[in-house]
Each structure stands twice: as C-alpha cells, then as structure tokens.
Amino acid sequence: MAFKTGVAERDEWSYSPAVGVGPLRFGMTVDEVVEAAEMLGQTKVSDCARDHAIFTPTWKVEVHRRGVAPSPPAVTAYVSQAVGLFCIAADAVHGPQVSYDGLPLVGRELSEPESDAIAYAEAMDVPFRYTPEGYAGPDDSGVVMRGQLVGQVLRSHPLFMVTRDGANTEWDSMPSEEYRVNGHSTA
C-alpha cells in the first residue's frame, strides 16, 4: 500500500533491527541489492571514496523511482566488501515511508520523529539517545536519524545500519557521503 505525502507517492516499508528494511537485508551483496531494489526503480552502482583505510572497499547503490523525473535517489544502499549491505538511507522526499514499531520515520518535520521516539522510549521503558547533531532516536536500534533540508524545512532522513567491518559503532560505520550538517553534505 502507498500513500501521498504531497511530493511523491511512497511505498510503505518496515524496519527490523539487524535484519533490514523493506526488501533489503543486511549482508546482501551488490547484485542481491540491485535485484531486490528492482521493485522500486532503476539502480546505479558506483564506488564510494575510501576515506578510512580500515574499511574494505564499499559500493553505493542508488535506487531511483520509476516514473519520477530525474531526481535524487529514493534509497541509497551501501555495501561493504567484507560485510555486505550495512547502511540503507531513505530520501526524505522520494524514499519509501519506513516505519519502526509503528513509528513513521521518513520525510517528517524533524521534531516529529524526535517527539515520537521520546514517547516510545518512555512507554516501552527503553533508553533513547541523541545524535551528535542533537536528534533523538531509539537507542541501539540501528537507526541514525539525519536531517535533510527540503525547502525551508529540515525533514527526517534516517539511516538504517549495522556496524561495518573495522568499526565500533554505527557512527563509526556511517558512509562519508551521509555526513550532513543541517541538510548539507560535509563530505
């Protein structure tokens, strides 16, 4: 089932920590990601810059929605040679709406998922964490909440992750292409 957000019709995907998002499963190879992503649209595979020698070579698989004028990728998947798929980024405008335990995470005004995460943590009696940028999210869920500037509004652009080869945490694992401050890339 899909719903309208005012910008693009979105597929609805769910997130399972340490398992995957929608049809994408952590640990998949590049070819498996391309095959699984065909339901959403066309894919483009490229090498990622190797900013840290500790990481094995990494590929970026950009998935563009079918029938949408040239636009940013709806989903970007990062695949490491050593561990396979380790990071899935959903675009705030074109990406699928991904929910985690009933909480919609993609494309919302950034304060909304933060309020929901705090309420969820209190209701479930689990901790939540703040990112170095100050965004709240569930602790140890594999979700790193990022901001994406859409017009004048900062929208939620979550990264769904597992720790990659040579890293200690999700933050250490984050692809350099996904480092953003107030919606702008710092890579």
Side-chain angles (χ1 to χ4, degrees):
M1 176 178 211
F3 63 95
K4 288 282 194 180
T5 61
V7 178
E9 190 170 309
R10 295 179 185 252
D11 296 316
E12 292 184 26
W13 290 4
S14 62
Y15 168 66
S16 296
V19 175
V21 178
L24 304 175
R25 298 289 172 252
F26 295 118
M28 286 178 146
T29 65
V30 169
D31 290 340
E32 291 169 332
V33 169
V34 168
E35 184 179 330
E38 284 179 354
M39 65 178 275
L40 185 60
Q42 299 173 341
T43 58
K44 176 185 170 192
V45 179
S46 59
D47 292 332
C48 288
R50 195 162 175 196
D51 293 336
H52 303 289
I54 194 168
F55 298 138
T56 59
T58 302
W59 297 272
K60 175 171 59 172
V61 181
E62 296 176 326
V63 184
H64 296 266
R65 295 179 65 82
R66 279 191 181 86
V68 176
S71 62
V75 174
T76 303
Y78 296 91
V79 182
S80 162
Q81 182 179 35
V83 298
L85 178 61
F86 70 92
C87 178
I88 303 157
D91 184 78
V93 177
H94 301 284
Q97 181 51 261
V98 181
S99 61
Y100 171 58
D101 208 12
L103 301 174
L105 299 175
V106 180
R108 300 175 67 200
E109 192 168 324
L110 204 49
S111 63
E112 294 171 0
E114 178 178 36
S115 297
D116 288 349
I118 293 168
Y120 173 82
E122 290 172 348
M124 302 301 279
D125 196 29
V126 295
F128 65 93
R129 66 177 167 188
Y130 281 96
T131 67
E133 295 171 330
Y135 310 136
D139 191 29
D140 199 31
S141 66
V143 178
V144 175
M145 192 59 70
R146 309 293 289 163
Q148 179 179 332
L149 196 59
V150 179
Q152 298 293 321
V153 179
L154 203 53
R155 299 274 179 196
S156 57
H157 164 71
L159 306 181
F160 303 94
M161 303 180 66
V162 293
T163 305
R164 70 183 296 184
D165 55 305
N168 296 315
T169 68
E170 293 151 355
W171 279 101
D172 298 335
S173 300
M174 190 181 312
S176 60
E177 289 89 341
E178 294 297 333
Y179 280 101
R180 297 169 189 223
V181 176
N182 292 328
H184 300 286
S185 176
T186 59

